[in-house]
Amino acid sequence: GIIGLVIGLGTQRCINDVINGFFIIFEHHFDVGDKIEIQGFKGEVVDIGLKTTKIRNWKGEIRILNNGEITSLVTFSKELSTAAVEFGIAYHEDAQKAIDLLNQELPKMRLDFPEIVEDPKVLGVIELANSSVNMRAICKTLNEQHYAIEREMRKRIKKILDENGIEIPFPQVVVHQPKK
């Protein structure tokens, strides 16, 4: 009786994995090559079977998940990605001048990066912080191509602001000493 119970529970789990695997494949929840995140593990789907799914992350680690364990996931391959960069300028700088300048120069990135599908643009001021007026720039990229574009946007924003004498502040502390 105990052996039958163990076999029954094991079979139930296996059947659950196969049924979920069938629905994953049949309904195209994700396909091989898609970028997904399951249970905090993000990577590229390298294999989908009826019983298991294999995902490889950017470090080359492969996680094998039973399809019955996949109850929720995030897929990054169905829509375009958004590159978002936040940066700050000094309070004494003209915010509109910086926005106009960057909106004129940043779209030139498309010439060097074909993965950009929508021109980069500065959305405007997002925060009046302690040391800076913070802004956000965004652009649409092909799926999961936004990481490199964000790094390049930061580099170009700094270069453009430096070339035009617009200060990017850093946090500073002023200490006053009492007179003796």
Side-chain angles (χ1 to χ4, degrees):
I2 294 174
I3 294 172
L5 180 64
V6 170
I7 291 173
L9 291 174
T11 304
Q12 181 183 12
R13 186 172 173 179
C14 183
I15 290 171
N16 186 32
D17 290 341
V18 170
I19 289 171
N20 281 358
F22 174 76
F23 281 111
I24 288 169
I25 294 168
F26 181 71
E27 293 181 351
H28 295 286
H29 292 219
F30 53 86
D31 296 308
V32 172
D34 283 0
K35 302 280 199 279
I36 64 172
E37 182 177 338
I38 299 174
Q39 300 170 353
F41 192 84
K42 181 178 179 181
E44 179 181 347
V45 177
V46 293
D47 184 49
I48 304 171
L50 284 178
K51 186 168 176 350
T52 62
T53 296
K54 296 177 185 173
I55 307 168
R56 180 187 316 117
N57 69 7
W58 65 276
K59 296 187 273 184
E61 302 166 339
I62 294 180
R63 177 162 293 173
I64 301 170
L65 295 159
N66 289 332
N67 289 333
E69 296 173 1
I70 301 173
T71 56
S72 64
L73 66 97
V74 178
T75 179
F76 301 95
S77 298
K78 302 295 181 192
E79 300 290 331
L80 298 174
S81 293
T82 301
V85 173
E86 294 182 7
F87 62 97
I89 62 171
Y91 270 95
H92 66 268
E93 300 292 352
D94 182 347
Q96 191 59 50
K97 176 184 171 189
I99 292 169
D100 293 342
L101 177 66
L102 291 168
N103 281 336
Q104 177 184 340
E105 295 297 320
L106 286 177
K108 296 175 184 176
M109 286 180 62
R110 283 187 79 176
L111 300 173
D112 300 326
F113 295 92
E115 55 267 37
I116 296 175
V117 296
E118 187 179 293
D119 282 348
K121 63 183 172 204
V122 178
L123 297 179
V125 175
I126 60 167
E127 180 183 20
L128 300 173
N130 291 339
S131 302
S132 62
V133 176
N134 294 340
M135 300 181 186
R136 179 179 294 138
I138 64 165
C139 73
K140 294 286 186 181
T141 69
L142 296 176
N143 296 338
E144 289 296 289
Q145 301 297 312
H146 61 284
Y147 304 110
I149 300 303
E150 286 174 350
R151 289 189 295 272
E152 183 63 26
M153 281 175 64
R154 285 184 194 96
K155 187 168 77 172
R156 291 196 186 198
I157 287 169
K158 177 161 179 5
K159 182 178 185 231
I160 292 166
L161 295 178
D162 285 350
E163 288 174 349
N164 288 278
I166 298 173
E167 181 185 348
I168 302 172
F170 54 91
Q172 300 178 41
V173 177
V174 178
V175 179
H176 297 280
Q177 295 182 351
K179 295 181 183 181
K180 294 181 182 182

